[in-house]
Structures are given as structure tokens and as C-alpha cells.
């Protein structure tokens, strides 16, 4: 009975999240598509002609996987942080907490919504990329699994942000001052082999580097880091962030105040 109630709760949350993404598509789908188009035009087309090739690929081809992953990261994060904080702000998060749903189901339902939006935007950006360059998937399983795992990581991270946020300004601090710098320094636009040895070592401390490179390996077959190590890093983040979110909800942090 409890499993059935949690399944109903999960489906309800997922349906709510999908409807929310589709209903306000002009805010959730269109802006990242336009932004990524500008990236392709400016960095790929204009600047890329001067750079030439990187790791044996045209610069446009090289940055395409990184830009796709960047869109997945930002939109997975943004969907969950805005959705759960909106539930707090609207005072209906208490209804979820006192419902028969487990706290794990609440987390999984919101994460599923983040994955959905991340995939929607990722597919849209991929279609845009195909208008600028040729892409073929070298390793389909790695490509698909890494984009899902990455979306889960940043959906969970968005949930953490939403739990601690007390006002709307709080949900923009992490994306602006943490997420954006890490993304730009995560090998989206360059190979870390071009960096001095010291900065290569520093770059290895950026988890986004592993996600971007594993995804690039899935599409192009080239990577700056070990794919097995990338999977280990991402898995650790998934388990750690899910456990953290579960503890926060069980303690009522950010909710029972």
C-alpha cells in the first residue's frame, strides 16, 4: 500500500513538473536555445575559424558537446531550485511533507522534473548544433548515461539550494557565483592539455570537467580524463547529494521554521 501511494505521489509530482515546463516554455525552453545559438555563432563560427582544430576536430565540433552539457546542467539545476522554492514560497510544501509520500519520493519527483527539462533543452540545443556542424555519437551508452547522471547531480544540487533559500535572491547566488564559473572552467571551450601544468592540476578539482569530458567522449571519442574516474566522481556526487537532501528533509530544514 505504501509503495502504491509513493508511486502515485511520484507520478503526480512528475506530471506537475512536466506541465510546468511545457506551460511556460517561453521561459524554460526558448531562452537557453537562443543563448546556445549565440554561443555557436560567436565562439564556434566566428572565433572557431581562427582557432582551427582541437584534438583533431573542428573547433565547432569540439565545443558542441560542452555547450549541450552546459545547457543540461543549468536547466536541470534551475528547474528544481525554482520549483521547490516556489512550493516553499506558496506554502504548499507542507502538504507534500505531511502527505503519505516519503521524503525520498518528494526528492525523486523533483529530480525527475529537473531531468525532463534538462533533456528537453539538451535535445533542442543538439538540434541547433546540427545546424552548425556534423555530430555523430561514438559511444551511445556513455553519452546517454552521462547526460542523465549529470542532470541528476545538478537537480539534487538545485534541491539543496532551494531548501536553504529564504528569498528569491537566494536561488540565484549559487548559479551566478559558483555554477557559471565552474561551467566555463570545466573544459567546455578548450582542452585542459592547453593549460600550464599547475592549472591542469587545479582544473582536476572541478567536477564539471569530468562530466563535460565524459559526454564529449561519448559523442566524439576524445577526452582529457579517464572515463571510469568520471563515472566514479559523478556517482559519488549522486549518492552524497541524495543522502544530504534526505537528511535535510527529515530534519525539516528550511521548512519547519
Amino acid at each position: 500500500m505504501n509503495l502504491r501511494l509513493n508511486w502515485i505521489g511520484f507520478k503526480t509530482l512528475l506530471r506537475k513538473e512536466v506541465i510546468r515546463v511545457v506551460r511556460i516554455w517561453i521561459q524554460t525552453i526558448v531562452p537557453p536555445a537562443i543563448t546556445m545559438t549565440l554561443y555557436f555563432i560567436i565562439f564556434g563560427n566566428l572565433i572557431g575559424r581562427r582557432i582551427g582544430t582541437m584534438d583533431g576536430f573542428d573547433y565547432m565540433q569540439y565545443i558542441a558537446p560542452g555547450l549541450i552539457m552546459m545547457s543540461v546542467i543549468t536547466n536541470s539545476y534551475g528547474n528544481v531550485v525554482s520549483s521547490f522554492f516556489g512550493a516553499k514560497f506558496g506554502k504548499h510544501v507542507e502538504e507534500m511533507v505531511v502527505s503519505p509520500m516519503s521524503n525520498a519520493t518528494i526528492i525523486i519527483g523533483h529530480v525527475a522534473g529537473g531531468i525532463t527539462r534538462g533533456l528537453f533543452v539538451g535535445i533542442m540545443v543538439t538540434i541547433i548544433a546540427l545546424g552548425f556542424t556534423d555530430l555523430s555519437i561514438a559511444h551511445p551508452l556513455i553519452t546517454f548515461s552521462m547526460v542523465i547522471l549529470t542532470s541528476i547531480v545538478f537537480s539534487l544540487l538545485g534541491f539543496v539550494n532551494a531548501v536553504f533559500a529564504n528569498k528569491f535572491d537566494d536561488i540565484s547566488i549559487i548559479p551566478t557565483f559558483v555554477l557559471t564559473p565552474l561551467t566555463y572552467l570545466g573544459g567546455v571551450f578548450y582542452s585542459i592539455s592547453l593549460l600550464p601544468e599547475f592549472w591542469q592540476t587545479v582544473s582536476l578539482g572541478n567536477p564539471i570537467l569530468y562530466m563535460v569530458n565524459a559526454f564529449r567522449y561519448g559523442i566524439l571519442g576524445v577526452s582529457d580524463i579517464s572515463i571510469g574516474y568520471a563515472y566514479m566522481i559523478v556517482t559519488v556526487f549522486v549518492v552524497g547529494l541524495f543522502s544530504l537532501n534526505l537528511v535535510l528533509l527529515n530534519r525539516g530544514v528550511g521548512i519547519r521554521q
Side-chain angles (χ1 to χ4, degrees):
M1 182 65 178
N2 193 38
L3 182 62
R4 179 174 175 271
L5 290 174
N6 278 289
W7 175 243
I8 293 172
F10 168 76
K11 290 193 298 182
T12 302
L13 278 175
L14 179 57
R15 181 174 179 271
K16 175 183 78 72
E17 292 299 306
V18 171
I19 290 175
R20 175 177 174 271
V21 171
V22 174
R23 188 181 69 245
I24 56 174
W25 60 272
I26 201 166
Q27 299 176 39
T28 57
I29 306 297
V30 174
I34 294 174
T35 301
M36 290 302 123
T37 300
L38 293 174
Y39 276 122
F40 281 116
I41 293 173
I42 296 171
F43 287 94
N45 195 23
L46 300 180
I47 299 177
R49 291 177 181 176
R50 296 178 178 271
I51 295 176
T53 62
M54 189 168 291
D55 282 355
F57 294 91
D58 290 341
Y59 187 65
M60 182 82 80
Q61 283 181 301
Y62 187 83
I63 67 171
L67 290 175
I68 294 169
M69 185 59 84
M70 186 167 72
S71 67
V72 171
I73 288 172
T74 55
N75 284 276
S76 298
Y77 186 98
N79 192 77
V80 176
V81 70
S82 60
S83 178
F84 192 73
F85 180 75
K88 287 174 56 178
F89 186 78
K91 302 297 183 182
H92 59 268
V93 68
E94 291 87 350
E95 297 174 7
M96 287 190 289
V97 174
V98 301
S99 72
M101 277 193 301
S102 67
N103 287 335
T105 302
I106 294 173
I107 297 170
I108 293 171
H110 283 85
V111 168
I115 294 172
T116 301
R117 178 172 167 184
L119 290 179
F120 276 171
V121 175
I123 291 170
M124 180 69 68
V125 174
T126 302
I127 293 171
I128 293 171
L130 291 173
F132 290 92
T133 187
D134 295 324
L135 292 176
S136 59
I137 301 178
H139 306 283
L141 182 59
I142 292 177
T143 301
F144 185 73
S145 61
M146 186 52 63
V147 76
I148 293 294
L149 286 171
T150 300
S151 187
I152 292 172
V153 168
F154 285 94
S155 294
L156 288 168
L157 195 59
F159 200 95
V160 175
N161 191 174
V163 167
F164 285 104
N166 294 315
K167 54 185 182 298
F168 280 102
D169 289 344
D170 293 340
I171 67 175
S172 64
I173 293 175
I174 299 297
T176 302
F177 295 104
V178 179
L179 203 56
T180 299
L182 287 179
T183 302
Y184 281 107
L185 297 174
V188 172
F189 298 102
Y190 58 88
S191 168
I192 63 168
S193 62
L194 300 175
L195 300 176
E197 186 175 349
F198 172 77
W199 290 109
Q200 288 186 38
T201 304
V202 171
S203 296
L204 293 176
N206 182 355
I208 293 179
L209 175 73
Y210 299 91
M211 302 170 190
V212 169
N213 270 273
F215 186 69
R216 181 176 285 128
Y217 178 80
I219 294 180
L220 301 180
V222 296
S223 173
D224 293 328
I225 47 88
S226 165
I227 302 305
Y229 194 57
Y231 272 98
M232 184 183 72
I233 292 290
V234 175
T235 301
V236 167
F237 270 94
V238 169
V239 174
L241 287 171
F242 182 83
S243 301
L244 174 61
N245 279 312
L246 199 56
V247 170
L248 293 175
L249 277 190
N250 288 339
R251 293 182 177 179
V253 176
I255 299 172
R256 297 168 188 156
Q257 295 179 341

